[in-house]
Amino acid sequence: MSMNGKKMVVLLTGAAMVSAVAVFSGAWGYVSGLQIKPEGQLVSGSETAVDLDLLSQIEAAAAKSRIEPVDARVDSVWKAIPGYNGLEIDIEATYQAASSKKRKAGEAIPYVYRQIPAKVTLHDLGDQPIYRGNPNKPMVSLMINVAWGNEFLVPMLDTLDAENVKTTFFLDGSWLKKNPELAGEILKRGHEVENHAYTHPNMSRLSRDRAELEIAKTQELLKESLGVENKWFAPPSGDFNQQTVSIAHARGLKTVLWTLDTVDWKHPAPDAVVQKISTKVEPGFLILMHPTDSSSQALKGMIDGIRAKGLEIGTVSQTLSPERIMPKGS
């Protein structure tokens, strides 16, 4: 074989190897346009040389760092537990980001990540109650049930604003009917507003028709007075039965309870509330509160204690979502 022939074999072999890597990694778009120039360089269709070493580094990091998604499931104790998306390096996007700028020797590769969706979600579990988020998700939510306590609502909203925290208020329908401006203020400040029945009854003791009326009346009022598309239902006093869950589910609502209770209706010392929450809170917890003197005074300390454990605070929708908390800068 002539020298030119040998060179061509080497080049074709190299191109095939790069193509194989690209197919495996998902980076085919970067090397599918490889051409062999007379001088023996491997280039893309856009005349850009392919950095095999960089591609290899990204591929190795992707294989090592991939995190598999966690499917939603029904637990014997916690009932419905939401799923949590997985995480992987987007090889094509990372290669593009890393090669589009001149990196100095030893400079970190700017990895780009993408989520791997969980295959089973809360929606797939049917009419099951929910007590907590996925324990792999470092986020918690403050569930603030409102049927009374107007004097403490604005101070609590001011604290949440100061701490840049958004959370979920579950409104009793009869309270909402009397206090549309205050409810509107909660919504205006960026919080989630949801369903806490209409007259704060023990749902398990109601007939099917009355139970449906309690949920439907507040659901309709949320839409009419605030323009809110209701997604969650929190049974008053945590009292419910399967009929309650099924009625809510038929109306497109998930029934949500709590993981950790401040018991603020007993007016404990604010320091005791802060200590309890800071000590016991874990990833995925839903923390029950009301607009009371105890919770109003404890709120700042609770937020500090939660954050000290490396946990973010979000709405119920955010905490129960399978959406992953992404790495900073991704």
Side-chain angles (χ1 to χ4, degrees):
M1 180 181 296
S2 68
M3 183 60 67
N4 287 339
K6 289 182 179 178
K7 179 183 286 189
M8 184 59 70
V9 170
V10 171
L11 290 174
L12 290 173
T13 302
M17 290 175 64
V18 175
S19 298
V21 170
V23 170
F24 176 73
S25 66
W28 170 248
Y30 292 100
V31 293
S32 60
L34 280 177
Q35 299 173 6
I36 302 169
K37 300 194 76 175
E39 57 271 30
Q41 291 180 315
L42 295 180
V43 298
S44 70
S46 59
E47 299 295 316
T48 302
V50 175
D51 187 336
L52 299 182
D53 181 60
L54 173 61
L55 191 59
S56 178
Q57 289 183 60
I58 296 171
E59 177 69 32
K64 181 185 294 186
S65 64
R66 179 183 169 95
I67 301 174
E68 296 298 328
V70 179
D71 286 339
R73 63 188 178 89
V74 177
D75 183 80
S76 59
V77 175
W78 295 112
K79 305 306 177 185
I81 297 180
Y84 192 40
N85 291 346
L87 186 69
E88 66 180 355
I89 291 173
D90 186 325
I91 296 171
E92 291 188 14
T94 299
Y95 183 87
Q96 185 177 36
S99 58
S100 64
K101 69 172 189 173
K102 294 182 178 179
R103 292 186 308 114
K104 297 178 181 178
E107 185 178 347
I109 295 173
Y111 289 108
V112 179
Y113 294 86
R114 64 185 173 196
Q115 300 192 39
I116 307 170
K119 294 179 181 178
V120 181
T121 67
L122 279 178
H123 178 74
D124 300 315
L125 301 183
D127 50 352
Q128 297 282 343
I130 305 162
Y131 287 86
R132 62 164 301 158
N134 193 289
N136 295 304
K137 185 169 186 172
M139 177 179 280
V140 303
S141 183
L142 307 176
M143 292 178 59
I144 305 177
N145 290 352
V146 182
W148 35 261
N150 289 13
E151 64 269 38
F152 300 108
L153 264 174
V154 172
M156 291 178 75
L157 287 171
D158 290 342
T159 299
L160 293 170
D161 281 351
E163 296 301 316
N164 194 28
V165 169
K166 304 302 179 188
T167 191
T168 303
F169 289 78
F170 287 87
L171 307 184
D172 171 89
S174 61
W175 180 91
L176 172 57
K177 187 72 173 178
K178 298 173 185 175
N179 299 277
E181 296 84 6
L182 196 47
E185 182 66 18
I186 295 171
L187 193 63
K188 179 182 176 182
R189 300 219 194 178
H191 301 287
E192 188 172 47
V193 176
E194 296 293 338
N195 193 325
H196 195 45
Y198 197 84
T199 63
H200 209 272
N202 289 321
M203 295 295 295
S204 69
R205 301 180 186 178
L206 304 181
S207 68
R208 184 174 189 86
D209 287 346
R210 173 65 190 282
E212 177 147 22
L213 181 63
E214 285 284 338
I215 296 172
K217 198 170 180 180
T218 297
Q219 186 177 26
E220 291 163 5
L221 187 58
L222 285 167
K223 177 65 174 178
E224 292 168 3
S225 63
L226 300 176
V228 169
E229 294 291 346
N230 188 197
K231 295 176 286 188
W232 307 100
F233 171 67
S237 306
D239 182 84
F240 73 100
N241 55 16
Q242 186 57 44
Q243 173 181 271
T244 309
V245 180
S246 297
I247 290 172
H249 183 263
R251 299 191 64 84
L253 309 181
K254 292 291 186 185
T255 299
V256 60
L257 285 304
W258 63 86
T259 330
L260 187 57
D261 189 356
T262 59
V263 198
D264 54 4
W265 56 274
K266 289 186 176 181
H267 307 285
D271 287 348
V273 176
V274 172
Q275 176 67 18
K276 177 181 182 180
I277 302 306
S278 300
T279 301
K280 296 185 177 182
V281 68
E282 295 179 16
F285 271 28
L286 305 176
I287 301 167
L288 179 63
M289 303 171 60
H290 303 83
T292 67
D293 53 347
S294 295
S295 281
S296 181
Q297 295 175 54
L299 186 54
K300 171 67 164 63
M302 290 171 57
I303 292 169
D304 290 342
I306 291 167
R307 287 174 168 166
K309 284 194 169 182
L311 302 173
E312 295 188 20
I313 304 173
T315 64
V316 166
S317 288
Q318 290 171 328
T319 300
L320 298 183
S321 165
E323 287 294 308
R324 192 171 190 89
I325 296 178
M326 298 293 281
K328 300 298 182 183
S330 62

